[in-house]
Amino acid sequence: MKKVLVTGGCGYIGAHTIVDLIENNFEPVCVDNNSRSTTALLQGIKDITGKTIKNYKVDLCNFDDTYAVFQENSNIEGIIHFAAFKAVGESVEKPLLYFENNLSSLINILKCAKEFHVPHFIFSSSCTVYGSPDKIPVTEQTPEKPAESPYGATKQMGEEIVKETTSATDMQSILLRYFNPVGAYPSALIGELPVGKPENLVPAITQTAIGKIKQLIVHGDDYPTRDGSCIRDYVHVCDIAHAHILALQYLIDKKNNSPCEIFNLGTGNGVSVLEVIHSFEKVSNVKLNYTIGPRRPGDIMAIYANNSLAKEKLNWAPKYSLDEMMLTAWKWELKLKDDEALHGNPNFQMN
Ligand code: UD1
């Protein structure tokens, strides 16, 4: 079995990707310092796949500790690098924290990849690299605008670091630009565990519906869009996860035309905040307590993907509809509530 190092494997997209790797006969090696996660999702992974995944609780900003993971695991076929901070607002308040954490971890992991001759590298990037685009949908060729936040800047710089490293080594790489990953594993055994009050729309919706948040604020309904709210490209986390397996296999099969390729991962559908809310209300049968608030600073009006390249070259076909995204997110929130009723709140215990 081919070994794949998954950094940030205890996180939301990382855990879903580990499940998919196992289902495709890869051997995931999980590294996560649990600074923004717990090992709770590893239990869910075991319940789904029957496999116990050990986590290396290692801070990738520590080079020696990172190096030791590579020493212990020979013949790593690929690295999928998820580990990073991702709260846009926090990044504005603490830019140095974001630059230090997101970039030094990346640099360390690339140094190890080079030293241990790891042939394939997949980087978690984001549609945030496009900034506020002049034209939508965005293709991979759409020019990048200045980043709207330090978080966004770490993704732009991260892409550059991976690109340059790829061209200076034998490593082959892929940059995956996620749009808005949402939803949860259909059986609700794994899902998103936001730290503190969620900034992102879908966890904010489900937490409002369950009563953890009093009221959802829609950040603006005066944009020049069809209903006045912002437009995004929501894509199911399992579809995002599967793209990593396809990307890795694409590199292993030497199907890439250049050493570093970029793919947009979105459904190609632009959906407004109010449409997301209405889909949620329909599938959950819950009337959501929401109100319209002011615009959120830094938000862009509309962005969605042209995903033709991922479809054509990776053979990626996102399967989940918006209603299914909302239903799986809701089932996960209900599951968390059941767990809490039974055991207190194990998912939020930090270890
Ligand atoms: C942003 C980044 C994305 C990053 C993500 C990580 C951009 C274009 N996108 O996503 O790259 O990975 O953060 O956190 O920079 N909303 C509400 N009420 C809420 C929460 C959100 O109305 O309580 C609205 C927002 O105004 C926005 C939409 O919902 O229009 C989606 O917001 P969110 O889920 O935070 O994602 P992005 O800001 O698109």
Side-chain angles (χ1 to χ4, degrees), residues 203-216 288-290:
I205 288 177
T206 57
Q207 290 199 10
T208 305
I210 208 104
K212 283 185 191 162
I213 297 176
K214 255 201 182 144
Q215 190 177 48
L216 177 85
L288 202 69
N289 178 13
Y290 70 89

Side-chain angles (χ1 to χ4, degrees), residues 86-88 126-128 151 178-180 198-202 204 216-219 230-232 234 273 296 299-300 303:
K86 60 150 205 164
V88 176
S126 164
C127 68
T128 196
Y151 159 78
Y178 314 150
F179 282 65
N180 289 56
E199 275 190 35
N200 295 120
L201 179 64
V202 174
L216 177 85
I217 314 283
V218 172
H219 298 314
C230 290
I231 291 188
R232 295 286 183 277
Y234 299 90
V273 174
R296 183 170 71 175
D299 262 345
I300 58 175
I303 187 164

Side-chain angles (χ1 to χ4, degrees), residues 165-316:
T165 307
T166 305
S167 57
T169 61
D170 292 336
M171 192 179 81
Q172 308 285 295
S173 65
I174 286 184
L175 314 175
L176 294 177
R177 292 178 176 162
Y178 314 150
F179 282 65
N180 289 56
V182 297
Y185 202 77
S187 62
L189 287 166
I190 54 173
E192 189 169 6
L193 289 171
V195 180
K197 193 169 183 247
E199 275 190 35
N200 295 120
L201 179 64
V202 174
I205 288 177
T206 57
Q207 290 199 10
T208 305
I210 208 104
K212 283 185 191 162
I213 297 176
K214 255 201 182 144
Q215 190 177 48
L216 177 85
I217 314 283
V218 172
H219 298 314
D221 71 344
D222 58 349
Y223 287 95
T225 60
R226 55 182 172 263
D227 62 18
S229 63
C230 290
I231 291 188
R232 295 286 183 277
D233 187 336
Y234 299 90
V235 47
H236 196 276
V237 64
C238 291
D239 284 327
I240 292 275
H242 191 56
H244 293 75
I245 283 72
L246 295 173
L248 188 62
Q249 198 58 52
Y250 174 83
L251 292 179
I252 292 171
D253 294 343
K254 301 193 186 314
K255 289 190 174 152
N256 53 320
N257 301 321
S258 70
C260 179
E261 293 191 6
I262 305 176
F263 296 100
N264 280 343
L265 297 182
T267 61
N269 303 318
V271 176
S272 76
V273 174
L274 293 170
E275 286 163 351
V276 173
I277 291 174
H278 296 146
S279 163
F280 175 82
E281 290 185 322
K282 185 177 75 183
V283 299
S284 67
N285 248 324
V286 175
K287 187 93 195 66
L288 202 69
N289 178 13
Y290 70 89
T291 186
I292 309 295
R295 293 181 178 193
R296 183 170 71 175
D299 262 345
I300 58 175
M301 176 184 69
I303 187 164
Y304 56 95
N306 175 323
N307 62 8
S308 309
L309 203 62
K311 280 184 165 164
E312 188 194 312
K313 295 184 92 181
L314 299 179
N315 221 356
W316 184 62

Side-chain angles (χ1 to χ4, degrees), residues 123-176:
F123 179 64
S124 287
S125 189
S126 164
C127 68
T128 196
V129 300
Y130 298 114
S132 186
D134 294 331
K135 221 176 117 200
I136 41 178
V138 290
T139 73
E140 292 78 357
Q141 267 72 52
T142 297
E144 290 183 12
K145 291 285 191 62
E148 305 271 331
S149 67
Y151 159 78
T154 68
K155 289 297 174 191
Q156 289 182 337
M157 292 175 192
E159 285 199 355
E160 231 17 71
I161 291 168
V162 175
K163 248 186 254 170
E164 294 297 339
T165 307
T166 305
S167 57
T169 61
D170 292 336
M171 192 179 81
Q172 308 285 295
S173 65
I174 286 184
L175 314 175
L176 294 177

